[in-house]
Amino acid sequence: MTSNDLASLVRNIPDFPQPGIQFKDITTLIGNGPAFNQVISTMVERYRNAGIEAVAGVESRGFIFSAPIALQLGVGLVPVRKPGKLPADTYQIEYELEYGSNKLEIHRDALTPGARVLLVDDLLATGGTILAASQLIERAGGSVAELAFVIELTFLGGREKLAGYPVFSVIQY
Ligand code: AMP
């Protein structure tokens, strides 16, 4: 399957969750076994010999991809979650959205000091979410090796905002 074939399996939902947003629905991609497998294999091959010591995933859709990648790399999985979900002591970060703000948390003891972390989410849009998650990884003592996405909306310029962090995506629009 080419990257174009994978892209054609992502469903576009106009005006969701609000007018003017074209939502990239990945349920149609992960519902296709060979396509899901290929997305995960592409990531695993890329990072197999990259010295990754932990994989972190951003709630919620990031979990779908980060878990099988961690499993196949043979390293642990660290959840970056919405506030109030993680039960032990956390670090919290607040970041600005187009309208309002969001918060993310990580367990303070989730990483061994200096651990090389692969940070995974489903989609890179403006980059605000993953930048906040990267800062959390660093506060917890980790080092961000690369930011990996299934989908990148290149026209939003997230990659430029993330200058300093290597960025990889499987599908680009
Ligand atoms: P951003 O912080 O702008 O990079 O937005 C990234 C986060 O919002 C990711 O967790 C995505 O799942 C979600 N997101 C943003 N835009 C879209 C979109 N057009 N379709 C699907 N998810 C999106």
Side-chain angles (χ1 to χ4, degrees), residues 59 81-86 90 92-93 102-105:
E59 184 168 4
R81 299 208 63 181
K82 291 168 182 158
K85 305 281 188 185
L86 290 170
T90 60
Q92 186 182 84
I93 192 164
N102 252 351
K103 290 178 183 160
L104 286 173
E105 291 185 347

Side-chain angles (χ1 to χ4, degrees), residues 21 25 27 48 54 79 84 91 99 105 130-131 135-136 148 153:
I21 303 287
D25 176 18
T27 65
R48 197 182 289 289
Y91 293 115
Y99 300 101
E105 291 185 347
I130 209 73
L131 187 60
Q135 288 163 354
L136 270 184
L153 303 182

Side-chain angles (χ1 to χ4, degrees), residues 76-134:
L77 176 67
V78 175
V80 174
R81 299 208 63 181
K82 291 168 182 158
K85 305 281 188 185
L86 290 170
D89 286 344
T90 60
Y91 293 115
Q92 186 182 84
I93 192 164
E94 184 165 9
Y95 60 100
E96 300 308 313
L97 299 173
E98 210 172 324
Y99 300 101
S101 67
N102 252 351
K103 290 178 183 160
L104 286 173
E105 291 185 347
I106 193 170
H107 271 151
R108 290 183 178 225
D109 63 356
L111 295 165
T112 53
R116 276 173 58 79
V117 179
L118 174 66
L119 182 52
V120 177
D121 202 359
D122 67 324
L123 184 142
L124 172 61
T126 65
T129 305
I130 209 73
L131 187 60
S134 301

